[in-house]
Structure formats: C-alpha cells, structure tokens
Amino acid sequence: MTDDSNSDLLRALPYARRYARALTGSQTDGDRLVAEVLRAGLPEMAPRLALYAAITRAAPAPHDASLLTPRQRQLLLLTALEDLRLNDAALVVGLGAEEAGFEIEVARTALRAATVTDVVVIEDEPVIAMDIRRLVEACGHRVVGVAATEAAAVALSEQHHPGLIVADINLGRGGDGISAVARIARTMPVPVIFVTAYPERLLTAERPEPTFLITKPFDPMALAVTTYQAITAGRPPIV
C-alpha cells in the first residue's frame, strides 16, 4: 500500500468506526469489527470504500430483521449517514447500481412504518432544537421534551422514560451532552443518537464514545435510519 493510500485509510477510519458502530449497535462491537477487518486485509478498492466493504461483509446479522433487510440497512447507512454516492454504496455491498437504488427506495418506504417511540431532545440552541424536533417528529416519533442543559435533560428523562434520546455534544454553559447521557444511563438503558459538527473528534476508539453519531447539518433520512438503528439495534451508548 502506498503512502497516499495509507493516509487515505487513516482519514477514513473514524467514519468506518461510525458505520460499524451503527451496524452493530455498540461501540465495543463496532470497533472490534473494524480491527478484525484491518487484520484480515481489505478488498481491492479505494481505501474508504474498501473499509466499508470489509465491514459490510463481516458484520453480524442484526437482532431485529422484521422491517429492513440487512442489505437495506447497510445501503441506507452508507448513503444517508456516510454520504456515499449510490454507485459507491452499490459497489460496497456488491450490487448493481439499479438494484441498490431499488432497495434504497423500498427501505425508505419501510422506514415510514418504523417503530414509534418517545424522544427527549438535548440541545441548547433554540433554532437547532426546533429543527431537530421537526425532523424527529417527521420520522413518526413523539418528542416529549427538549432540554437545553444537562440538569434539565436528566430531569426530563426521569419524568418521561423515553425510548430514545437525541443529544448535542456541547451544551455551552449548560454542561455536556455526553455527561448528561452518562447520568441518565445509570438508571435507565436508553439508546442515544449524538449530533455534532465534528464527528472525527469522537471516533478515535481511545475511550468510551457514542455508538450512534450523525454530523450537523444532517438530512432527514440520516436521522431516520440512525433512529431506526438506535431503537432496534441500540444498547446503552456509554459502555
């Protein structure tokens, strides 16, 4: 592998970890999966696509396959969360572009019938909080409260026992989103999606980190598929 390829691979690693964590529903399992495919060797593709392809092939079957097939989950995560072009996502999963496009459309339709749950949003910026609320509700879920501080997030979660939390990382003077989630997780296991403008800073595999992470600004489908994964495959986010 050339020096340029090595550099491309290093740049792609944080996003490969995000993809693997989203597929497995666990930081530990996702990071282990990435380590295993690196040891086993990657297919002959561009480094980023090779990582995604190796992870896709080695990923275990999801716990809940009642709504989306494994291939549909993979395609939605690759295109909506990882922002791959259709042709690249098709190459990663081993399908033709036309078939991959069909599977994505079927999956998007199926997501409209996805599991509905109560959601607490943790976000200190009012405009962003309002936008996240709108997107979450567009996915069919119920937002039971919006918290701008760590203390308010804990109180809301204790009151409503949500099925999902969508949390910003940085709450300004109101505290820290990861700290808020860690406090909530002491008393209730709830899947969490973190949103941040700088995902690579939280995908180093050097410490307990978010399992589900989307990049701001994000499109509705990225939130929809990550929400579905968090609810159906999710586990407590800090392990």
Side-chain angles (χ1 to χ4, degrees):
M1 185 176 287
T2 66
D3 289 343
D4 286 345
S5 295
N6 278 324
S7 296
D8 290 343
L9 189 65
L10 289 173
R11 282 193 294 270
L13 268 177
Y15 303 98
R17 292 191 184 101
R18 175 170 64 180
Y19 175 58
R21 293 174 187 182
L23 275 180
T24 62
S26 161
Q27 178 197 349
T28 302
D29 291 347
D31 291 350
R32 183 185 301 119
L33 181 59
V34 172
E36 288 173 356
V37 302
L38 287 172
R39 285 194 295 268
L42 303 178
E44 290 295 326
M45 297 179 189
R48 186 183 181 202
L49 299 185
L51 268 173
Y52 287 140
I55 291 164
T56 298
R57 295 169 189 176
H63 299 294
D64 181 347
S66 60
L67 183 63
L68 301 181
T69 67
R71 187 71 77 224
Q72 288 167 349
R73 290 181 189 238
Q74 294 157 3
L75 284 166
L76 281 180
L77 288 170
L78 288 166
T79 55
L81 184 66
E82 300 303 323
D83 202 28
L84 290 191
R85 295 175 300 177
L86 174 61
N87 286 348
D88 287 338
L91 179 64
V92 165
V93 303
L95 295 179
E98 184 175 347
E99 185 178 359
F102 173 77
E103 290 290 345
I104 288 172
E105 288 307 310
V106 170
R108 287 172 181 260
T109 300
L111 276 182
R112 298 190 185 102
T115 304
V116 174
T117 194
D118 292 336
V119 180
V120 164
V121 174
I122 306 174
E123 170 60 64
D124 65 316
E125 294 288 343
V127 174
I128 297 175
M130 186 166 51
D131 195 40
I132 292 175
R133 179 172 195 146
R134 176 182 60 81
L135 290 172
V136 169
E137 290 175 344
C139 294
H141 304 294
R142 298 175 294 267
V143 175
V144 295
V146 176
T149 68
E150 184 176 325
V154 173
L156 266 177
S157 298
E158 289 176 347
Q159 177 184 355
H160 293 286
H161 291 268
L164 176 70
I165 293 173
V166 178
D168 192 5
I169 301 292
N170 184 1
L171 301 178
R173 296 181 179 178
D176 178 87
I178 292 181
S179 296
V181 167
R183 288 173 61 187
I184 293 165
R186 292 172 194 159
T187 58
M188 65 186 80
V190 54
V192 178
I193 298 171
F194 285 98
V195 292
T196 177
Y198 306 102
E200 64 278 1
R201 296 179 183 176
L202 292 165
L203 293 165
T204 63
E206 295 174 353
R207 60 187 183 279
E209 297 167 346
T211 296
F212 299 100
L213 187 68
I214 58 179
T215 305
K216 294 193 293 188
F218 51 85
D219 71 22
M221 185 49 60
L223 181 63
V225 66
T226 309
T227 298
Y228 178 72
Q229 280 295 98
I231 292 171
T232 60
R235 305 171 193 177
I238 305 296
V239 294

